């Protein structure tokens, strides 16, 4: 096929409009239309349904668009590798992780990365959906379970444990929560057990709701749970790393916690030599080491106070 026509087709399919695609490509609408007609004639098929609101891909058009999207991602990967300088780290790096971890742990630490690499541009995508790294939906991921794809390089960073926390103001008003049975007379702030989240957190929440039937506030991510807890609304099911930046939180029902949740960093094998990947990987590893030391020092200090 004609590569130039494929490039124009991809832009039109992505924009859903000849005019918008033309603006992106710096071509007139008529020139874009001619290229699309030429491609359709060469393939002996119709690629778009045309109507007043724009263009919709036909079944054949969808097949071709899937192919051009894959080509575009591969070209982006090749471009990223070519642009990696021998001495500098620059350009865009697409990072994906969960909303909770990205908001509460990763984002507050990014100033240190930008200070070291001011020409690096991070596109931080926070969502629970697992993005496809080999298809270049993202360059690097931090995930709450080990990636299953074989063509990824992965490194275990740390473990996270889900625990119960409240604000002191809430406990002063609602009373202490020292044992599991106390949960029955409190408001539990958590994600819905059926929502996409770490399995250990969902299991812990489901058990608490089943056994004690507390008043409940559901929030669809841990950042929202944290804000509700800080505001004094109840007892929250939260990852243990929140205590580093929110030391005023009080742990309640201390014997209750989830199984360990492994945290992995992963990226495609083809980006093994990318200096941006290497810079981000080393930065995260250094931050994890510092985090572990802070948590260990805090636990030692707590042990000394209780002995």
């Amino acid at each position: 096929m004609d590569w130039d026509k494929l490039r124009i087709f991809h832009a039109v399919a992505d924009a859903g409009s000849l005019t918008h695609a033309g603006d992106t490509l710096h071509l007139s609408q008529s020139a874009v239309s001619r290229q699309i007609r030429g491609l359709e004639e060469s393939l002996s098929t119709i690629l778009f349904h045309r109507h007043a609101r724009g263009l919709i891909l036909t079944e054949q058009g969808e097949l071709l668009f899937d192919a051009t999207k894959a080509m575009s991602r591969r070209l982006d990967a090749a471009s990223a590798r070519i642009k990696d300088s021998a001495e500098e780290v620059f350009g865009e790096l697409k990072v994906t992780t969960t909303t909770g971890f990205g908001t509460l742990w990763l984002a507050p630490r990014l100033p240190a990365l930008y200070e070291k690499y001011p020409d690096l541009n991070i596109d931080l995508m926070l969502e629970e959906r697992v993005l496809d790294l080999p298809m270049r939906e993202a360059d690097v991921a931090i995930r709450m379970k080990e990636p299953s794809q074989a063509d990824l390089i992965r490194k275990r960073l740390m473990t996270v444990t889900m625990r119960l926390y409240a604000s002191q103001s809430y406990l002063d008003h609602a009373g202490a929560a020292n044992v599991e049975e106390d949960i029955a007379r409190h408001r539990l702030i958590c994600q819905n057990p059926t929502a996409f989240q770490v399995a250990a957190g969902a299991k812990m929440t489901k058990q608490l709701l089943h056994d004690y039937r507390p008043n409940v506030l559901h929030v669809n991510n841990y950042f929202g749970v944290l804000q509700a807890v800080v505001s004094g609304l109840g007892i929250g099911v939260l990852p243990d790393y929140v205590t580093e930046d929110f030391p005023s939180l009080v742990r309640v029902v201390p014997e209750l916690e989830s199984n360990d949740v492994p945290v992995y960093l992963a990226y495609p094998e083809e980006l093994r030599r990318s200096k941006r990947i290497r810079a981000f990987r080393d930065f995260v590893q250094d931050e994890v080491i510092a985090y572990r030391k802070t948590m260990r020092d805090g636990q030692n200090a707590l042990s000394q106070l209780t002995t």
Side-chain angles (χ1 to χ4, degrees):
M1 295 183 207
D2 186 317
W3 285 95
D4 197 47
K5 287 185 174 65
L6 287 176
R7 177 178 64 90
I8 293 171
F9 163 80
H10 182 81
V12 173
D14 190 48
S17 162
L18 295 173
T19 302
H20 292 157
D23 292 341
T24 301
L25 298 168
H26 305 292
L27 294 173
S28 67
Q29 180 179 336
S30 60
V32 173
S33 181
R34 284 196 302 272
Q35 293 293 324
I36 295 300
R37 282 199 305 271
L39 182 60
E40 288 178 328
E41 289 171 1
S42 69
L43 294 173
S44 300
T45 192
I46 301 298
L47 298 172
F48 294 98
H49 293 301
R50 294 156 174 82
H51 60 82
R53 291 178 297 172
L55 301 176
I56 297 178
L57 288 164
T58 63
E59 183 179 353
Q60 292 77 15
E62 290 281 4
L63 290 172
L64 187 58
F65 189 40
D66 286 343
T68 59
K69 283 191 292 187
M71 291 162 56
S72 178
R73 291 181 186 123
R74 293 295 183 183
L75 288 171
D76 286 344
S79 176
R81 293 175 63 180
I82 291 169
K83 288 179 180 177
D84 275 333
S85 164
E87 287 100 24
E88 297 181 73
V89 175
F90 64 94
E92 183 183 62
L93 183 69
K94 294 183 288 186
V95 179
T96 180
T97 188
T98 61
T99 302
F101 190 84
T103 304
L104 300 173
W105 193 91
L106 181 59
R109 290 168 167 79
L110 288 179
L113 179 65
Y114 277 113
E115 183 175 354
K116 189 172 183 180
Y117 303 110
D119 296 323
L120 185 63
N121 299 314
I122 301 293
D123 182 0
L124 186 57
M125 296 175 284
L126 305 181
E127 54 183 292
E128 308 312 311
R129 182 173 68 92
V130 176
L131 299 187
D132 193 327
L133 297 184
M135 291 301 293
R136 296 306 310 280
E137 288 187 317
D139 299 316
V140 59
I142 298 177
R143 294 178 175 169
M144 303 300 114
K145 63 178 181 179
E146 184 172 6
S148 58
Q149 291 168 298
D151 51 352
L152 295 179
I153 297 172
R154 78 283 316 271
K155 179 176 178 58
R156 184 162 174 161
L157 296 173
M158 56 195 281
T159 59
V160 171
T161 305
M162 306 303 298
R163 294 171 175 168
L164 298 179
Y165 297 95
S167 68
Q168 188 60 55
S169 62
Y170 171 79
L171 295 174
D172 291 342
H173 171 73
N178 298 316
V179 295
E180 285 191 38
E181 289 74 14
D182 290 339
I183 294 172
R185 56 185 178 82
H186 285 274
R187 178 180 297 110
L188 188 68
I189 306 170
C190 57
Q191 294 196 58
N192 192 307
T194 62
F196 190 89
Q197 60 181 300
V198 294
K203 181 179 179 181
M204 179 179 177
T205 298
K206 184 177 181 180
Q207 194 66 48
L208 290 173
L209 294 176
H210 177 270
D211 290 348
Y212 304 108
R213 302 188 180 279
N215 186 290
V216 65
L217 169 63
H218 286 141
V219 186
N220 69 346
N221 62 64
Y222 291 127
F223 179 72
V225 173
L226 173 65
Q227 293 304 308
V229 171
V230 170
S231 299
L233 286 175
I235 295 172
V237 179
L238 286 165
D240 56 358
Y241 57 73
V242 300
T243 57
E244 183 180 13
D245 292 325
F246 295 87
S248 63
L249 292 179
V250 178
R251 186 178 178 191
V252 298
V253 194
E255 78 275 8
L256 185 61
E257 63 182 23
S258 74
N259 294 330
D260 286 344
V261 179
V263 180
Y264 284 86
L265 183 142
Y267 52 92
E269 173 71 35
E270 66 192 46
L271 294 181
R272 174 189 290 273
R273 300 185 184 279
S274 168
K275 292 178 177 58
R276 280 172 291 184
I277 294 286
R278 190 180 309 159
F280 182 79
R281 179 199 63 198
D282 293 347
F283 153 74
V284 171
Q285 289 181 164
D286 289 344
E287 290 296 327
V288 167
I289 291 171
Y291 162 76
R292 285 173 175 165
K293 183 178 185 302
T294 299
M295 298 298 286
R296 187 168 56 248
D297 291 347
Q299 290 172 355
N300 291 338
L302 182 62
S303 297
Q304 291 174 5
L305 288 175
T306 56
T307 57

